[in-house]
Amino acid sequence: MPRINPHYQKLRAGYLFPEIGKRVRNFATAHPEARIIRLGIGDVVLPLPAPIVEAMKAGADEMGSQDTFRGYGPEQGYEFLLEAIAGAYHAQGANVAAEEIFVSDGSKCDTANIQEIFALDNVVALTDPVYPVYVDTNVMAGRTGEADDCGRYANLVYLPTTAENGFDPALPVGHVDIIYLCSPNNPTGAVMARASLARWVAYARKEGAVILFDAAYEAFIREPGLVHSIFEIPGSRDVAIEFRSFSKTAGFTGTRCAFTVIPRELCGHDASGAPVPLRGLWNRRHTTKFNGVSYPVQRAAVAVFSPEGSRAVQANIDYTMENARIIREGLAAAGYRVYGGENAPYIWLRVPAGVTSWDFFDRLLAEAHVVGTPGSGFGNCGEGYFRLSAFGLRENIEEAIERIRQKMHL
Ligand code: MLT
């Protein structure tokens, strides 16, 4: 028998969303009459817009004809998509070149895999609560010790991000090497202010740290003037990597397409202290472990940037953000303290005093037949909070809020 990777045994529980799925399945089996509304995992429900489907079909047709058939594509993505992404960055005031972009099958995978190019003894900082993928993949790699009773792993630096500090985490006390930031934030729905991001960039420059900036939800920002990309911040190009995705933006959770940006000038250093460009390391990893996103999917993705595609995608985002407004205002009217949901598709609410996040999950499921995500699933500081996703059909969102108002009124 082979010896297993012992670090997997440090993981506290199953991955959050399968765990929720299991509990919901058990409830549904025991209560077949219940019409369950799922606002747990942030999964899109609207069909792909017509211009995107047309582009995907055209791509599939090309694959079915001898003169336009394609085998392996470039691992980094087709030029037509890279150029469109770079153009979109420029329109947002960020300087990104096509050769700095790596197309992939998801930001979950990219944010999970990026830690591979860094040494195991780097000090990693992340917010608490946090997207669990950042934590778990560092545990799996062996970059942490064991978890304590609160589920916090030794050797990670946790940055509390709660209502008390306005969901704006303080800089670490002392030195860290790698910092995960996510804005608009999953799970809290908060957006980092420009000044706050500039503070992080200044810290990273001073400490020689790298910021792993997850911008998967940037398309949901409504307020003008808020930062969409860390590369809008002067001085960020040699301290940051950015992750973006078509998943939530354009309804690609089942279609799979995302991208990561690593600026040319961003370096780590080797054992002798000599600088090593991270873009080259990631390129080495990407070309070794990945064979690219399928051609029809990249054709569909580039259609997101066409005038008709972007109009249709924007209409779906508007729909989701109207859902967010309904959830936010409905919960507030029912007496809940709510955060987020203004520039992000997630609403983060305080559970009633004396109730844990998982208790609230069970009560909400049992009494309102509504599924959400317990805040403690995102970390110790998420205890006492609960996340609702605004991705859903309007009638389900309205009904979920009505049920909460009737059955879970504070
Ligand atoms: C979430 O609900 O947090 C997301 O859907 C998870 C993901 O994007 O992997």
Side-chain angles (χ1 to χ4, degrees):
M1 273 193 290
R3 244 183 99 213
I4 61 155
N5 175 346
H7 305 301
Y8 275 62
Q9 292 185 310
K10 296 178 192 159
L11 294 165
R12 293 277 289 188
Y15 184 57
L16 178 61
F17 294 106
E19 174 63 29
I20 290 173
K22 192 174 80 194
R23 289 190 186 214
V24 174
R25 272 194 307 282
N26 290 345
F27 180 83
T29 308
H31 303 89
E33 74 296 346
R35 205 180 77 71
I36 297 171
I37 299 178
R38 290 173 167 77
L39 306 180
I41 190 164
D43 196 4
V44 293
V45 295
L46 298 175
L48 291 174
I52 292 171
V53 174
E54 286 314 315
M56 197 185 307
K57 283 184 183 165
D61 283 343
E62 283 184 56
M63 297 300 264
S65 172
Q66 187 61 69
D67 47 338
T68 47
F69 171 76
R70 290 157 193 259
Y72 291 124
E75 293 93 341
Q76 299 84 350
Y78 283 102
E79 201 58 33
F80 61 79
L81 182 55
L82 301 178
E83 290 295 346
I85 294 169
Y89 267 111
H90 285 130
Q92 286 182 340
N95 173 22
V96 166
E99 74 199 52
E100 298 173 324
I101 300 165
F102 294 84
V103 171
S104 76
D105 62 347
S107 282
K108 179 183 186 174
C109 322
D110 286 352
T111 57
N113 293 329
I114 195 74
Q115 47 79 29
E116 282 184 25
I117 64 170
F118 298 103
L120 287 184
D121 58 359
N122 280 301
V123 180
V124 174
L126 23 78
T127 61
D128 180 6
V130 73
Y131 182 43
V133 168
Y134 315 154
V135 177
D136 288 1
T137 52
N138 277 288
V139 175
M140 291 168 173
R143 208 168 274 112
T144 75
E146 299 288 341
D148 65 14
D149 291 344
C150 302
R152 286 183 156 189
Y153 292 93
N155 306 342
L156 289 181
V157 174
Y158 290 91
L159 309 167
T161 310
T162 60
E164 285 67 42
N165 62 14
F167 301 101
D168 185 18
L171 296 173
V173 181
H175 173 80
V176 305
D177 301 294
I178 298 172
I179 303 149
Y180 289 83
L181 295 176
C182 174
S183 178
N185 190 260
N186 179 13
T188 68
V191 182
M192 294 182 79
R194 189 175 293 269
S196 179
L197 262 175
R199 206 159 40 88
W200 280 100
V201 167
Y203 171 88
R205 296 184 67 82
K206 180 163 79 59
E207 294 293 328
V210 63
I211 298 172
L212 304 178
F213 189 72
D214 185 347
Y217 298 96
E218 62 79 29
F220 295 86
I221 293 177
R222 315 291 276 177
E223 241 174 278
L226 287 176
V227 174
H228 288 248
S229 167
I230 193 156
F231 300 123
E232 292 174 59
I233 307 293
S236 58
R237 280 183 51 90
D238 45 13
V239 293
I241 292 176
E242 180 160 296
F243 306 91
R244 284 199 187 185
S245 174
F246 294 92
S247 281
K248 315 295 160 82
T249 310
F252 275 50
T253 56
T255 307
R256 311 307 310 150
C257 198
F259 54 94
T260 289
V261 177
I262 308 189
R264 271 187 299 261
E265 48 271 65
L266 177 61
C267 287
H269 63 80
D270 67 14
S272 72
V276 179
L278 295 182
R279 187 193 159 280
L281 287 190
W282 185 247
N283 191 52
R284 184 69 175 82
R285 186 214 170 269
H286 202 65
T287 50
T288 303
K289 297 196 175 185
F290 189 62
N291 264 335
V293 170
S294 79
Y295 177 73
V297 168
Q298 292 196 55
R299 275 284 168 214
V302 78
V304 170
F305 300 104
S306 70
E308 331 66 81
S310 69
R311 261 195 308 278
V313 161
Q314 192 54 51
N316 285 358
I317 291 172
D318 291 347
Y319 178 99
T320 301
M321 293 310 288
E322 174 61 9
N323 287 348
R325 186 194 65 75
I326 292 168
I327 298 173
R328 221 179 50 239
E329 293 180 4
L331 291 176
Y336 287 89
R337 289 188 58 194
V338 288
Y339 307 96
E342 283 171 318
N343 294 291
Y346 295 123
I347 290 85
W348 189 238
L349 58 120
R350 276 263 194 218
V351 301
V355 176
T356 69
S357 300
W358 275 110
D359 289 344
F360 188 77
F361 172 91
D362 290 333
R363 258 188 67 197
L364 190 66
L365 183 58
E367 291 172 32
H369 303 166
V370 171
V371 180
T373 309
S376 56
F378 296 101
N380 193 42
C381 291
E383 183 55 274
Y385 292 91
F386 198 78
R387 194 192 79 175
L388 289 175
S389 154
F391 295 105
L393 294 178
R394 179 67 42 78
E395 57 270 29
N396 288 342
I397 298 285
E398 284 170 344
E399 184 170 343
I401 295 308
E402 193 46 40
R403 289 187 200 167
I404 293 173
R405 285 168 65 120
Q406 283 180 12
K407 307 203 184 242
M408 311 279 294
H409 198 283
L410 292 177

